[in-house]
Amino acid sequence: MKNIPLIIGALLFSTLFHKQGIGLNLSIFNILTLIVLIIYNKNAFKQKSTIAYAVLYLITAASIFIYNNSLSIIANTIAFITLIGQVSEQNSSIYVNWLNGLYTCIAGLFHRNFGVNENEQKVESKKEIDYLHLAKIIGIPLIILTIFISLYKNGNPMFNGLINDIDFSIINFQWILVALCGYYLLSNISNPVIVDPATINDVQTGNILPYQESIETDNLKKEHQFGFILITALNALIIIFLITDITYLLSSNDLRASVFSNQVHSGINALIASIIIAIIIILYFFRGDLNFYKKNKNLKLVAYTWIILNAILVINIIIKDAQYIYYFGLTYKRIGVLVYLLLTVIGLVTTFIKVKDLKNFWYLFRINTVTAFTILIVSSTINWDSYITIYNLNYAKSMDFNYLIELSNNNAFILKNYLDKNNLNDKKTLTINRKFKNYLRELKNKSWQESQFDNFKLK
Amino acid sequence: MNTSLTILKATGLSFIIFWAIIFSEEKFMLDMFPYVFLSFIPIGFCCLIVICLTICPFFWAKNESKDSDTILKTYFPFYAIILFTLCSYGLITSNLNIFSVAFIISAFFTLLKSWTWLAKSHKNKKA
């Protein structure tokens, strides 16, 4: 009785995925997994955070149905793992949720097979199945029967005909195997497990540095001095870099794509190195005693200045990227740069808070992973191909038409609409029509499991 | 810990999964039977090598401070995650060729199940 939802789920799993592409089936599977999780883990769903993760999971399920692109599939997979991890332990950080979620999906059933009692943290031996006896009563008769059948086949043509007439094609073994995989997955997630030392350690670790009495030792003074000189020198360096970069931007009138591209990408590389080193250096100096050192005001001041200067560097790159987009249109790479800059700004703000409020390294890691996760989920709800196409066709000063054709089919209707309203040359007309017709054919050939939102536009 | 019995069980399980996947795609002919039967030898050899090299050392290397509970809780999750990653990589690079799929899936389930067999035999021996 307890396994009935899992068996129904497994049959549904095979119906949805056996020899099918991705589409409506993944969205239905999302609802199915959520039902299984709720049935077996009612207590976990009383927590608001679990409900929030479940809602995010459903949002990504909807975006798969609407857009059916790689980003929404990746976001959905990560949201699924996060939700499973959240159900296994509600008080852990998101990265531990990922670990627990992944482990549960992969080997939850085997973990429970050990009989590990989570309350007592003891491995209990379950009743041993006699595999040798099982092999004896099933395997050996099967082997001997097969040998005798092959012998008798040669001795009697009628028996040979009878054996050859046996047709197992009515049973689809592959369908059954897919159903077994579905059962394995649903059984794994029905009772999520935790990776023990990692989860316990995470739950016990707070966000605040433990208070220490200020000790004014020689070593601490030397470390303070070293930190102050180093960060001040780096501040001077970044100021010089910013002045020269802004001067170059203001004096240059060259708007070639390659020049812009080089500027933005080399700027990004500098930024990546600068921000990572900045955060590592700040974390190093503010890892312990220096946080409680009475004369650390100057060190904190140069650290804040450095964070602000890095933020100015980010603004500088945003301006370059915005100009690049204005003149040459949107591309995934240019959007990626903006997303990276957003993450960088958040990283700098959290580093500022870490120094100001005496937080530890885990605070930074927790808040930044949650931010990255949220940005991924939000990004999956946006039809980027559509926005890129609309912007490039209507607002960009110049653009690469072939790039729009190479994008996914999510822009096929927009391109066709644009073609109907504008006079384009023969080559462009032919390319757009070909893309549109191929997409229509693809949509029509889809089974109900693979169908997506665009299928309903056809009716 | 009964390693030889575990290898025997693992060979049986691996054999069943491997051929179940193959015959879900290919039609079974009685003439194939001797070859299927003989496949026990390479499958057993693979199980012997992989179990002895990747799972047994965790149990052999344990000292007084680490009992089998600690070994399971500490190493099994990461072993499972690494195995899953390698198997996924193998599946992607094999272009879902049926023999590769059968080999990888049977290896994945057999190795995870071998952990439970080894752990239980170790427990029973201690008891």
Side-chain angles (χ1 to χ4, degrees), chain A residues 99 102-103 106 110 113-114 121-123 125 128 131 143 146-147 149 153 173-174 177 184 195-197, chain B residues 9 20-21 24-25 30 33 69 72-73 76-78 80-81 84 108-109 112-113 116-117 120 123:
Chain A
L99 184 68
L102 187 62
Y103 176 52
I106 294 169
F110 289 104
N113 222 321
F114 291 146
Q121 299 299 321
K122 282 276 167 201
V123 174
S125 286
E128 185 70 44
Y131 288 97
I143 292 166
T146 320
I147 292 169
I149 288 169
K153 258 179 77 179
F173 284 110
Q174 217 165 51
L177 287 179
Y184 176 69
V195 178
D196 190 18
Chain B
K9 285 179 189 172
I21 295 170
S24 71
E25 184 82 12
L30 269 175
F33 183 75
D69 301 8
L72 285 177
K73 285 193 287 180
F76 178 71
F78 298 101
I81 291 169
F84 176 75
F108 176 76
F109 285 107
L112 292 189
K113 188 66 192 162
T116 64
W117 282 325
K120 276 181 185 173
K123 264 279 173 196

Side-chain angles (χ1 to χ4, degrees), chain A residues 371-417:
Chain A
T371 310
F373 173 73
T374 313
I375 289 175
L376 177 70
I377 301 295
V378 172
S379 327
S380 75
T381 61
I382 298 166
N383 189 355
W384 293 107
D385 292 326
S386 153
Y387 283 114
I388 290 170
T389 311
I390 292 169
Y391 180 85
N392 288 3
L393 290 174
N394 300 303
Y395 305 107
K397 293 278 176 197
S398 65
M399 54 112 188
D400 181 3
F401 181 77
N402 287 332
Y403 180 78
L404 298 182
I405 297 295
E406 284 162 13
L407 289 175
S408 82
N409 286 327
N410 277 327
N411 68 355
F413 284 101
I414 296 163
L415 284 171
K416 179 67 181 164
N417 200 24

Side-chain angles (χ1 to χ4, degrees), chain A residues 39-217:
Chain A
I39 289 173
Y40 290 93
N41 306 278
K42 290 188 183 80
N43 284 336
F45 281 88
K46 285 175 186 164
Q47 294 246 348
K48 281 179 187 169
S49 54
T50 314
I51 295 168
Y53 281 121
V55 170
L56 290 179
Y57 179 50
L58 288 177
I59 288 171
T60 58
S63 60
I64 285 179
F65 176 65
I66 297 168
Y67 309 132
N68 201 356
N69 56 13
S70 310
L71 184 65
S72 54
I73 293 170
I74 293 168
N76 182 256
T77 311
I78 294 175
F80 173 64
I81 290 170
T82 314
L83 177 65
I84 305 289
Q86 174 67 21
V87 173
S88 69
E89 172 57 62
Q90 285 93 58
N91 299 319
S92 56
S93 312
I94 194 164
Y95 51 86
V96 176
N97 284 348
W98 292 336
L99 184 68
N100 287 334
L102 187 62
Y103 176 52
T104 300
C105 294
I106 294 169
L109 189 66
F110 289 104
H111 180 98
R112 293 198 298 275
N113 222 321
F114 291 146
V116 177
N117 186 333
E118 296 299 345
N119 298 324
E120 293 175 16
Q121 299 299 321
K122 282 276 167 201
V123 174
E124 298 160 352
S125 286
K126 286 187 176 176
K127 197 185 170 189
E128 185 70 44
I129 301 165
D130 193 347
Y131 288 97
L132 270 181
H133 182 67
L134 265 180
K136 232 185 270 174
I137 60 165
I138 298 170
I140 295 172
L142 206 68
I143 292 166
I144 292 172
L145 269 177
T146 320
I147 292 169
F148 273 87
I149 288 169
S150 57
L151 289 173
Y152 291 153
K153 258 179 77 179
N154 296 327
N156 181 346
M158 208 171 155
F159 183 76
N160 185 27
L162 187 76
I163 293 294
N164 287 337
D165 284 347
I166 296 172
D167 186 13
F168 286 109
S169 62
I170 196 167
I171 305 165
N172 191 336
F173 284 110
Q174 217 165 51
W175 193 93
I176 295 167
L177 287 179
V178 175
L180 284 175
C181 285
Y183 182 84
Y184 176 69
L185 179 63
L186 292 174
S187 171
N188 279 347
I189 65 165
S190 64
N191 189 0
V193 293
I194 58 166
V195 178
D196 190 18
T199 311
I200 301 291
N201 289 343
D202 179 68
V203 171
Q204 287 171 350
T205 310
N207 286 331
I208 309 281
L209 280 166
Y211 179 75
Q212 290 159 21
E213 282 292 322
S214 179
I215 319 151
E216 290 193 26
T217 60

